[in-house]
Amino acid sequence: MAKESSHQTHAPGVHRVVVIVDENSNPFELGCAAEVFGLRRPEIGRDLYDFRLCSPEPRTRMRDGFFTLTGVTDLEAADAADTLIVPNRPDVEVPGRHSVLDAVRRAHARGARLISFCTGAFTLAEAGVLDGRRVATHWQWAEAFRARFPSVHLESDVLFVDDGDILTAAGSAAALDLGLHVVRRDHGAEVANSVSRRLVFAAHRDGGQRQFVERPVPDQPDESLAPVLAWAQERLGSPLTVSDLARRAAVSSATLHRRFRAQLGTTPLMWLTGERLALACRLIERGESRFEVVARRSGIGTAANLRTLMRRETGITPSAYRRRFGPEAK
């Protein structure tokens, strides 16, 4: 487990994240949760979360016997969680433990936020809290999930799904994407960027991106998108278009589109829009109160466009975002 974990002390009022670890849970997702929610943040100047682990047994054998986890509290900790992260497991045919499913049901009934990584969606579905809800799980288990839980709306080719009080991620690495999304939702883009820098991980991949790409590593080094992405990020306030990006990369727009799909799992326009929105959020958090200026400097154009985009992507208006994450809220 990571050092400097925030579970050692608890500051009153800090959002409490509890992870349930059960027999044969995957250690990678546990590590993702600890890295995102469990570390102290001296670079930010405050703890973002109070982080705890709990388990139904005093000794929990992790996946394939890699190691045995001891020294964590029992399931009573789940009853104090503001956010409860449920266990996943490689064998989705093995029923969830009754005590774990009951803890999930209690958390849901009292309004706690529920999160699953990878096959953890099976745990949520077995607990009966997903009927009629939108969820994600690993593409490899999509067919099995649909067969067992037909009343759940599975989105099988996305990184993660934010359905309000229930958030679900697909494959293992998507746990980091969802974790950073939660940090962004709770604390704003600037804090999420700080956490991502410490993780040395992309600050923002939209949940609607594909779970896997056609060519994770380009056949030729000069096909990497990194140079054109860096160039565009320095010019977001300019009237950049997809054609501009294609010219910078010295390829056709169609070729650029194929490379974005293959390497990033998204389109050039969606990437550009996401980067501009992230910049707009950072400008608001840093104290820019004139939304016309925010829209212009981020390349979004007008305050009306900013309002539309922020409502669509964050669910709140620029004014509400400023009240929640601006300097006066800190």
Side-chain angles (χ1 to χ4, degrees):
M1 299 301 293
K3 296 180 179 179
E4 298 183 351
S5 172
S6 65
H7 80 283
Q8 295 167 351
T9 59
H10 175 55
V14 176
H15 187 102
R16 177 166 290 179
V17 176
V18 177
V19 181
I20 299 179
V21 186
D22 201 3
E23 187 77 11
N24 223 21
S25 288
N26 283 329
F28 181 84
E29 285 81 359
L30 176 59
C32 290
E35 285 288 335
V36 174
F37 302 110
L39 298 190
R40 294 195 183 280
R41 302 290 174 186
E43 67 275 19
I44 295 175
R46 57 190 170 95
D47 288 342
L48 302 181
Y49 301 97
D50 172 39
F51 181 78
R52 306 289 174 97
L53 302 180
C54 69
S55 177
E57 299 291 342
R59 298 173 60 85
T60 303
R61 184 175 177 268
M62 301 299 289
R63 180 176 179 174
D64 297 331
F66 290 153
F67 59 89
T68 298
L69 186 68
T70 62
V72 301
T73 189
D74 59 29
L75 283 178
E76 288 187 6
D79 292 328
D82 300 305
T83 292
L84 184 65
I85 301 178
V86 306
N88 62 1
R89 55 196 186 276
D91 188 352
V92 297
E93 298 302 323
V94 175
R97 199 186 300 254
H98 289 302
S99 59
V100 171
L101 300 181
D102 286 343
V104 173
R105 295 183 188 109
R106 290 195 303 271
H108 182 62
R110 62 181 172 78
R113 181 168 61 188
L114 301 178
I115 292 177
S116 74
F117 299 143
C118 197
T119 57
F122 283 81
T123 301
L124 292 174
E126 285 180 44
V129 302
L130 289 185
D131 288 353
R133 305 295 292 263
R134 298 168 46 245
V135 301
T137 194
H138 195 287
W139 59 268
Q140 187 175 7
W141 306 112
E143 185 176 340
F145 187 94
R146 285 197 178 99
R148 287 180 61 186
F149 308 109
S151 61
V152 181
H153 302 302
L154 177 66
E155 298 188 10
S156 58
D157 193 24
V158 297
L159 292 176
F160 61 83
V161 169
D162 180 343
D163 200 38
D165 59 337
I166 298 180
L167 299 94
T168 51
S172 297
L176 289 174
D177 291 299
L178 178 55
L180 288 170
H181 170 78
V182 170
V183 173
R184 188 179 307 107
R185 202 174 93 168
D186 292 346
H187 300 283
E190 194 79 359
V191 169
N193 285 346
S194 177
V195 174
S196 72
R197 283 194 299 270
R198 187 162 167 180
L199 283 166
V200 196
F201 190 76
H204 178 62
R205 291 199 299 168
D206 184 78
Q209 290 185 210
R210 297 167 58 198
Q211 286 189 26
F212 56 91
V213 297
E214 297 166 11
R215 291 186 293 120
V217 179
D219 293 336
Q220 301 294 331
D222 62 359
E223 289 188 1
S224 170
L225 288 170
V228 72
L229 298 184
W231 177 83
Q233 285 169 331
E234 294 176 355
R235 296 165 175 80
L236 293 174
S238 303
L240 288 177
T241 65
V242 173
S243 296
D244 294 328
L245 299 183
R247 279 193 295 271
R248 181 67 183 181
V251 297
S252 68
S253 294
T255 297
L256 185 74
H257 192 280
R258 286 195 298 272
R259 290 185 183 176
F260 264 79
R261 277 293 188 187
Q263 297 180 35
L264 299 181
T266 188
T267 67
L269 182 59
M270 288 177 64
W271 176 86
L272 192 58
T273 301
E275 291 296 310
R276 283 172 163 159
L277 178 60
L279 175 56
C281 290
R282 293 197 298 272
L283 291 171
I284 294 171
E285 290 173 35
R286 293 169 184 172
E288 180 54 71
S289 60
R290 298 164 297 174
F291 295 138
E292 295 83 0
V293 174
V294 171
R296 185 176 67 251
R297 290 179 59 189
S298 62
I300 292 174
T302 66
N305 288 345
L306 177 65
R307 283 191 293 274
T308 299
L309 186 60
M310 287 199 71
R311 272 190 174 278
R312 188 182 75 200
E313 299 298 328
T314 70
I316 59 177
T317 64
S319 297
Y321 192 92
R322 180 175 59 197
R323 288 193 298 272
R324 183 171 180 182
F325 300 120
E328 64 274 16
K330 298 175 182 177

PDB file of all heavy atoms in Angstrom, residues 104-121:
ATOM      1  N   VAL A 104     -23.423  -3.267   0.742  1.00  0.00           N
ATOM      2  CA  VAL A 104     -23.674  -2.430  -0.429  1.00  0.00           C
ATOM      3  C   VAL A 104     -25.117  -1.925  -0.414  1.00  0.00           C
ATOM      4  O   VAL A 104     -25.381  -0.738  -0.681  1.00  0.00           O
ATOM      5  CB  VAL A 104     -23.383  -3.212  -1.724  1.00  0.00           C
ATOM      6  CG1 VAL A 104     -23.803  -2.400  -2.955  1.00  0.00           C
ATOM      7  CG2 VAL A 104     -21.907  -3.571  -1.815  1.00  0.00           C
ATOM      8  N   ARG A 105     -26.049  -2.792  -0.094  1.00  0.00           N
ATOM      9  CA  ARG A 105     -27.462  -2.382  -0.045  1.00  0.00           C
ATOM     10  C   ARG A 105     -27.695  -1.310   1.015  1.00  0.00           C
ATOM     11  O   ARG A 105     -28.426  -0.339   0.790  1.00  0.00           O
ATOM     12  CB  ARG A 105     -28.338  -3.605   0.233  1.00  0.00           C
ATOM     13  CG  ARG A 105     -28.329  -4.651  -0.872  1.00  0.00           C
ATOM     14  CD  ARG A 105     -29.276  -5.788  -0.552  1.00  0.00           C
ATOM     15  NE  ARG A 105     -29.132  -6.876  -1.503  1.00  0.00           N
ATOM     16  CZ  ARG A 105     -28.588  -8.064  -1.220  1.00  0.00           C
ATOM     17  NH1 ARG A 105     -28.157  -8.312   0.014  1.00  0.00           N
ATOM     18  NH2 ARG A 105     -28.491  -8.985  -2.147  1.00  0.00           N
ATOM     19  N   ARG A 106     -27.073  -1.486   2.182  1.00  0.00           N
ATOM     20  CA  ARG A 106     -27.241  -0.481   3.243  1.00  0.00           C
ATOM     21  C   ARG A 106     -26.670   0.866   2.815  1.00  0.00           C
ATOM     22  O   ARG A 106     -27.277   1.920   3.062  1.00  0.00           O
ATOM     23  CB  ARG A 106     -26.562  -0.956   4.537  1.00  0.00           C
ATOM     24  CG  ARG A 106     -27.255  -2.127   5.209  1.00  0.00           C
ATOM     25  CD  ARG A 106     -26.749  -2.298   6.640  1.00  0.00           C
ATOM     26  NE  ARG A 106     -25.302  -2.486   6.712  1.00  0.00           N
ATOM     27  CZ  ARG A 106     -24.700  -3.661   6.648  1.00  0.00           C
ATOM     28  NH1 ARG A 106     -25.414  -4.768   6.475  1.00  0.00           N
ATOM     29  NH2 ARG A 106     -23.383  -3.749   6.762  1.00  0.00           N
ATOM     30  N   ALA A 107     -25.517   0.832   2.186  1.00  0.00           N
ATOM     31  CA  ALA A 107     -24.891   2.082   1.740  1.00  0.00           C
ATOM     32  C   ALA A 107     -25.775   2.788   0.714  1.00  0.00           C
ATOM     33  O   ALA A 107     -25.974   4.010   0.769  1.00  0.00           O
ATOM     34  CB  ALA A 107     -23.513   1.793   1.149  1.00  0.00           C
ATOM     35  N   HIS A 108     -26.312   2.022  -0.211  1.00  0.00           N
ATOM     36  CA  HIS A 108     -27.180   2.607  -1.236  1.00  0.00           C
ATOM     37  C   HIS A 108     -28.444   3.184  -0.612  1.00  0.00           C
ATOM     38  O   HIS A 108     -28.887   4.290  -0.977  1.00  0.00           O
ATOM     39  CB  HIS A 108     -27.528   1.540  -2.264  1.00  0.00           C
ATOM     40  CG  HIS A 108     -28.371   2.038  -3.395  1.00  0.00           C
ATOM     41  ND1 HIS A 108     -27.956   3.017  -4.273  1.00  0.00           N
ATOM     42  CD2 HIS A 108     -29.631   1.689  -3.792  1.00  0.00           C
ATOM     43  CE1 HIS A 108     -28.901   3.250  -5.163  1.00  0.00           C
ATOM     44  NE2 HIS A 108     -29.925   2.466  -4.890  1.00  0.00           N
ATOM     45  N   ALA A 109     -29.023   2.476   0.353  1.00  0.00           N
ATOM     46  CA  ALA A 109     -30.268   2.916   0.977  1.00  0.00           C
ATOM     47  C   ALA A 109     -30.103   4.223   1.731  1.00  0.00           C
ATOM     48  O   ALA A 109     -31.041   5.032   1.794  1.00  0.00           O
ATOM     49  CB  ALA A 109     -30.780   1.829   1.924  1.00  0.00           C
ATOM     50  N   ARG A 110     -28.926   4.459   2.290  1.00  0.00           N
ATOM     51  CA  ARG A 110     -28.721   5.703   3.040  1.00  0.00           C
ATOM     52  C   ARG A 110     -28.122   6.817   2.186  1.00  0.00           C
ATOM     53  O   ARG A 110     -27.799   7.896   2.677  1.00  0.00           O
ATOM     54  CB  ARG A 110     -27.841   5.460   4.273  1.00  0.00           C
ATOM     55  CG  ARG A 110     -26.455   4.973   3.980  1.00  0.00           C
ATOM     56  CD  ARG A 110     -25.667   4.724   5.267  1.00  0.00           C
ATOM     57  NE  ARG A 110     -24.406   4.080   4.995  1.00  0.00           N
ATOM     58  CZ  ARG A 110     -23.324   4.694   4.533  1.00  0.00           C
ATOM     59  NH1 ARG A 110     -23.367   5.996   4.285  1.00  0.00           N
ATOM     60  NH2 ARG A 110     -22.206   4.027   4.312  1.00  0.00           N
ATOM     61  N   GLY A 111     -27.965   6.577   0.879  1.00  0.00           N
ATOM     62  CA  GLY A 111     -27.548   7.634  -0.032  1.00  0.00           C
ATOM     63  C   GLY A 111     -26.073   7.762  -0.277  1.00  0.00           C
ATOM     64  O   GLY A 111     -25.623   8.770  -0.840  1.00  0.00           O
ATOM     65  N   ALA A 112     -25.266   6.766   0.104  1.00  0.00           N
ATOM     66  CA  ALA A 112     -23.835   6.821  -0.173  1.00  0.00           C
ATOM     67  C   ALA A 112     -23.596   6.676  -1.676  1.00  0.00           C
ATOM     68  O   ALA A 112     -24.385   6.048  -2.399  1.00  0.00           O
ATOM     69  CB  ALA A 112     -23.100   5.723   0.580  1.00  0.00           C
ATOM     70  N   ARG A 113     -22.504   7.239  -2.146  1.00  0.00           N
ATOM     71  CA  ARG A 113     -22.108   7.065  -3.543  1.00  0.00           C
ATOM     72  C   ARG A 113     -21.432   5.700  -3.685  1.00  0.00           C
ATOM     73  O   ARG A 113     -20.604   5.312  -2.862  1.00  0.00           O
ATOM     74  CB  ARG A 113     -21.151   8.188  -3.943  1.00  0.00           C
ATOM     75  CG  ARG A 113     -20.675   8.133  -5.379  1.00  0.00           C
ATOM     76  CD  ARG A 113     -19.964   9.424  -5.771  1.00  0.00           C
ATOM     77  NE  ARG A 113     -18.791   9.689  -4.968  1.00  0.00           N
ATOM     78  CZ  ARG A 113     -18.093  10.825  -5.005  1.00  0.00           C
ATOM     79  NH1 ARG A 113     -18.484  11.824  -5.789  1.00  0.00           N
ATOM     80  NH2 ARG A 113     -17.025  10.993  -4.253  1.00  0.00           N
ATOM     81  N   LEU A 114     -21.765   4.975  -4.741  1.00  0.00           N
ATOM     82  CA  LEU A 114     -21.207   3.646  -4.987  1.00  0.00           C
ATOM     83  C   LEU A 114     -20.324   3.671  -6.224  1.00  0.00           C
ATOM     84  O   LEU A 114     -20.687   4.277  -7.243  1.00  0.00           O
ATOM     85  CB  LEU A 114     -22.326   2.621  -5.179  1.00  0.00           C
ATOM     86  CG  LEU A 114     -23.312   2.444  -4.022  1.00  0.00           C
ATOM     87  CD1 LEU A 114     -24.387   1.429  -4.399  1.00  0.00           C
ATOM     88  CD2 LEU A 114     -22.593   2.021  -2.751  1.00  0.00           C
ATOM     89  N   ILE A 115     -19.173   3.000  -6.149  1.00  0.00           N
ATOM     90  CA  ILE A 115     -18.223   2.946  -7.255  1.00  0.00           C
ATOM     91  C   ILE A 115     -17.787   1.502  -7.447  1.00  0.00           C
ATOM     92  O   ILE A 115     -17.544   0.777  -6.474  1.00  0.00           O
ATOM     93  CB  ILE A 115     -16.992   3.832  -6.982  1.00  0.00           C
ATOM     94  CG1 ILE A 115     -17.384   5.313  -6.994  1.00  0.00           C
ATOM     95  CG2 ILE A 115     -15.892   3.571  -8.014  1.00  0.00           C
ATOM     96  CD1 ILE A 115     -16.231   6.246  -6.672  1.00  0.00           C
ATOM     97  N   SER A 116     -17.686   1.091  -8.706  1.00  0.00           N
ATOM     98  CA  SER A 116     -17.097  -0.212  -9.005  1.00  0.00           C
ATOM     99  C   SER A 116     -16.050  -0.052 -10.093  1.00  0.00           C
ATOM    100  O   SER A 116     -16.160   0.824 -10.949  1.00  0.00           O
ATOM    101  CB  SER A 116     -18.163  -1.216  -9.448  1.00  0.00           C
ATOM    102  OG  SER A 116     -18.604  -0.942 -10.772  1.00  0.00           O
ATOM    103  N   PHE A 117     -15.046  -0.916 -10.035  1.00  0.00           N
ATOM    104  CA  PHE A 117     -14.001  -0.990 -11.050  1.00  0.00           C
ATOM    105  C   PHE A 117     -14.066  -2.364 -11.711  1.00  0.00           C
ATOM    106  O   PHE A 117     -14.175  -3.385 -11.029  1.00  0.00           O
ATOM    107  CB  PHE A 117     -12.613  -0.804 -10.440  1.00  0.00           C
ATOM    108  CG  PHE A 117     -12.401   0.526  -9.759  1.00  0.00           C
ATOM    109  CD1 PHE A 117     -11.634   0.604  -8.603  1.00  0.00           C
ATOM    110  CD2 PHE A 117     -12.953   1.695 -10.265  1.00  0.00           C
ATOM    111  CE1 PHE A 117     -11.415   1.821  -7.965  1.00  0.00           C
ATOM    112  CE2 PHE A 117     -12.744   2.916  -9.644  1.00  0.00           C
ATOM    113  CZ  PHE A 117     -11.969   2.983  -8.493  1.00  0.00           C
ATOM    114  N   CYS A 118     -13.976  -2.386 -13.030  1.00  0.00           N
ATOM    115  CA  CYS A 118     -13.905  -3.634 -13.783  1.00  0.00           C
ATOM    116  C   CYS A 118     -15.114  -4.513 -13.476  1.00  0.00           C
ATOM    117  O   CYS A 118     -16.249  -4.085 -13.642  1.00  0.00           O
ATOM    118  CB  CYS A 118     -12.576  -4.339 -13.494  1.00  0.00           C
ATOM    119  SG  CYS A 118     -12.134  -5.616 -14.690  1.00  0.00           S
ATOM    120  N   THR A 119     -14.914  -5.740 -12.981  1.00  0.00           N
ATOM    121  CA  THR A 119     -16.032  -6.651 -12.736  1.00  0.00           C
ATOM    122  C   THR A 119     -16.781  -6.330 -11.454  1.00  0.00           C
ATOM    123  O   THR A 119     -17.702  -7.066 -11.083  1.00  0.00           O
ATOM    124  CB  THR A 119     -15.535  -8.106 -12.676  1.00  0.00           C
ATOM    125  OG1 THR A 119     -14.526  -8.217 -11.664  1.00  0.00           O
ATOM    126  CG2 THR A 119     -14.967  -8.541 -14.024  1.00  0.00           C
ATOM    127  N   GLY A 120     -16.432  -5.256 -10.782  1.00  0.00           N
ATOM    128  CA  GLY A 120     -17.198  -4.846  -9.606  1.00  0.00           C
ATOM    129  C   GLY A 120     -18.646  -4.545  -9.934  1.00  0.00           C
ATOM    130  O   GLY A 120     -19.509  -4.568  -9.043  1.00  0.00           O
ATOM    131  N   ALA A 121     -18.945  -4.282 -11.213  1.00  0.00           N
ATOM    132  CA  ALA A 121     -20.342  -4.069 -11.604  1.00  0.00           C
ATOM    133  C   ALA A 121     -21.193  -5.300 -11.300  1.00  0.00           C
ATOM    134  O   ALA A 121     -22.396  -5.179 -11.023  1.00  0.00           O
ATOM    135  CB  ALA A 121     -20.422  -3.723 -13.093  1.00  0.00           C
TER     136      ALA A 121
END
